[in-house]
Amino acid sequence: MTFYQLEPEVPGQWGANTQLDTSTHPPVVQRLHLELDCWLGDDLITSFPAYLVTPSAAERLGEASLTGFELRDAEINQSEQSIEVDGPEEIPAFRWLHITGQAAQDDFGIGAGNELVVSQTALEILRAGTLANCEVTEYSGSEAV
Amino acid sequence: MSTAGELAQDVQAAIDKLTEVPPEHIGALIDEYQGVLNAVFNGSNSKLTAAAIRDVALAKSKVEEAYKFVVLTAAKYGEIQENIGVSTGPSVSASSGSKGGSSPAAAAGTRTAKPAARKHPPATFGWTTDFNYRRTFFTANPETKGQVWVHHAVERQVITNYPGVVAPQEMHSLENLRGIPSGEVNRKVHLSALRRAWNAFYLANPNPTKQQLLDEATRLDDLYGNQFNPAIREPEKDEQ
């Protein structure tokens, strides 16, 4: 099976309510709070080291019986500066796509270089929505960085 | 690697930029001037005063940078002095920041080579107790208000990702702030390039030092600084 490495768009930064365990690398996210300020519209987004999906993508993934992830709650809001500059925008209730799988084995996994690796099936499901700003390359294994 | 003569000239040039004001007082002195200018600006709203405020902020940044440069380069100078057997000449005191005796350039005695000018300053941190970073930026660059997105060269979430490496007082200092034009350019530069680059940096660096963070900020300044407002790199020349 072919696997792909994904580099999603990065539309914001951690909010004040984020809780991380930084004793490991990558840090373990205990509570996810993301402040969006430049979302371009993709269904899959990231802010190191977490990934999130729109509700519609979460629904598609949940129905497909894929492996290697859990859907968790996240706190999402538009940043103060974004509201001031862009005006209030409607922000989807992104779900936290918590990756639990192994790269090139599960449908969702984290490679040795901390990259997101997905199966062909997972990629097709994500591409059924919007994935215009995500860099996609065929995965050929990785080395730890 | 720079020669002793080149380094000595660099040291001398940096020292020449400093006034007789003790370096530890320079920032406070310019802050005081800036406060007066701000008060005048608020009363007059003149473009001339706005420009003066910006110039003072830039001057503060450059003087503090020069001081840091003296400290860093003095250490290099000392090493080279030992290597080439030059045993005389004054040391450059990090605490005095002023001239003393003959210059280190003269002591090195090799002034034939012209120092390679640093085309662009590297990213650096200052120090502020005002964490309203947009106010800090727009106070220094009032003409950009409403036109730019204020971005941290070293991103804010570094404080969360790498606790203790960068102090909030450094993070929100003017030296770490960049103005990115709002609209399409903002979205392209700010999101697609800068954010993605920092995300890759976080993935690859478990325990970066403050200098490594600044080096990454400098690299991104080199790539995109000509699009910032104010630009911190020379604008691209039109090739057409």
Side-chain angles (χ1 to χ4, degrees):
Chain A
M1 178 184 283
T2 305
F3 286 84
Y4 296 89
Q5 179 176 333
L6 304 188
E7 294 181 48
E9 63 163 301
V10 190
Q13 294 195 81
W14 294 127
N17 296 328
T18 295
Q19 292 179 2
L20 295 177
D21 175 2
T22 58
S23 63
T24 62
H25 183 79
V28 177
V29 180
Q30 297 162 328
R31 180 174 178 176
L32 198 161
H33 175 205
L34 189 63
E35 291 195 328
L36 298 186
D37 49 28
C38 284
W39 180 47
L40 297 179
D42 274 14
D43 281 322
L44 175 67
I45 63 175
T46 186
S47 182
F48 170 79
Y51 298 90
L52 301 97
V53 290
T54 57
S56 59
E59 187 175 347
R60 293 197 304 275
L61 292 172
E63 292 172 349
S65 299
L66 303 181
T67 62
F69 72 96
E70 294 172 4
L71 290 169
R72 298 181 176 179
D73 292 334
E75 181 181 350
I76 310 290
N77 62 267
Q78 188 180 1
S79 75
E80 184 181 336
Q81 184 171 200
S82 174
I83 293 171
E84 186 173 304
V85 173
D86 301 324
E89 294 177 343
E90 192 171 335
I91 302 291
F94 277 90
R95 302 294 308 280
W96 175 7
L97 183 70
H98 179 63
I99 309 299
T100 59
Q102 298 294 314
Q105 294 181 25
D106 295 294
D107 289 299
F108 287 86
I110 299 294
N114 297 319
E115 68 274 31
L116 175 63
V117 179
V118 304
S119 67
Q120 174 87 41
T121 305
L123 179 59
E124 287 173 357
I125 290 172
L126 289 169
R127 277 180 165 164
T130 302
L131 206 62
N133 301 285
C134 180
E135 293 184 9
V136 181
T137 54
E138 191 168 328
Y139 180 68
S140 56
S142 64
E143 296 179 359
V145 291
Chain B
M1 185 176 182
S2 301
T3 67
E6 289 171 342
L7 285 171
Q9 281 196 316
D10 286 352
V11 171
Q12 189 62 61
I15 292 172
D16 287 343
K17 292 179 182 177
L18 300 175
T19 68
E20 295 302 318
V21 178
E24 63 270 24
H25 294 158
I26 287 174
L29 185 66
I30 297 178
D31 279 342
E32 185 180 335
Y33 292 161
Q34 192 168 32
V36 174
L37 285 168
N38 285 344
V40 173
F41 176 67
N42 290 334
S44 69
N45 199 29
S46 77
K47 290 182 180 179
L48 187 63
T49 313
I53 291 171
R54 182 191 61 215
D55 290 345
V56 168
L58 285 173
K60 176 189 176 188
S61 174
K62 289 184 181 302
V63 169
E64 290 176 341
E65 180 188 329
Y67 175 62
K68 290 177 184 175
F69 185 64
V70 167
V71 175
L72 292 173
T73 312
K76 294 180 186 174
Y77 171 72
E79 290 176 8
I80 290 180
Q81 209 177 24
E82 289 180 7
N83 290 339
I84 64 175
V86 177
S87 58
T88 60
S91 61
V92 179
S93 168
S95 60
S96 71
S98 59
K99 298 177 186 178
S102 60
S103 74
T110 53
R111 304 197 58 165
T112 54
K114 185 178 179 181
R118 172 173 276 161
K119 193 171 182 181
H120 301 296
T124 186
F125 292 120
W127 189 267
T128 183
T129 53
D130 183 357
F131 293 172
N132 186 333
Y133 61 90
R134 284 186 285 163
R135 179 168 59 202
T136 298
F137 183 87
F138 290 127
T139 297
N141 304 282
E143 73 282 4
T144 66
K145 193 164 188 176
Q147 299 177 31
V148 302
W149 181 281
V150 182
H151 171 78
H152 291 75
V154 173
E155 290 191 313
R156 278 180 296 156
Q157 69 184 49
V158 159
I159 290 178
T160 306
N161 288 348
Y162 308 110
V165 178
V166 178
Q169 290 87 345
E170 295 173 307
M171 177 60 64
H172 301 302
S173 65
L174 180 62
E175 288 82 347
N176 193 43
L177 302 177
R178 307 288 184 268
I180 302 178
S182 301
E184 186 64 25
V185 174
N186 168 44
R187 292 190 183 276
K188 180 179 178 183
V189 173
H190 185 264
L191 173 68
S192 299
L194 297 172
R195 284 272 169 75
R196 199 181 287 270
W198 276 111
N199 219 62
F201 179 90
Y202 303 144
L203 280 170
N205 291 275
N207 296 297
T209 64
K210 186 184 296 183
Q211 189 56 52
Q212 287 173 317
L213 292 164
L214 288 170
D215 288 346
E216 178 66 3
T218 299
R219 188 182 74 82
L220 295 174
D221 281 348
D222 289 342
L223 286 172
Y224 305 110
N226 62 338
Q227 299 174 50
F228 296 163
N229 182 12
I232 60 170
R233 295 292 187 268
E234 294 169 6
E236 287 180 350
K237 292 179 180 176
D238 189 353
E239 295 179 353
Q240 294 179 351

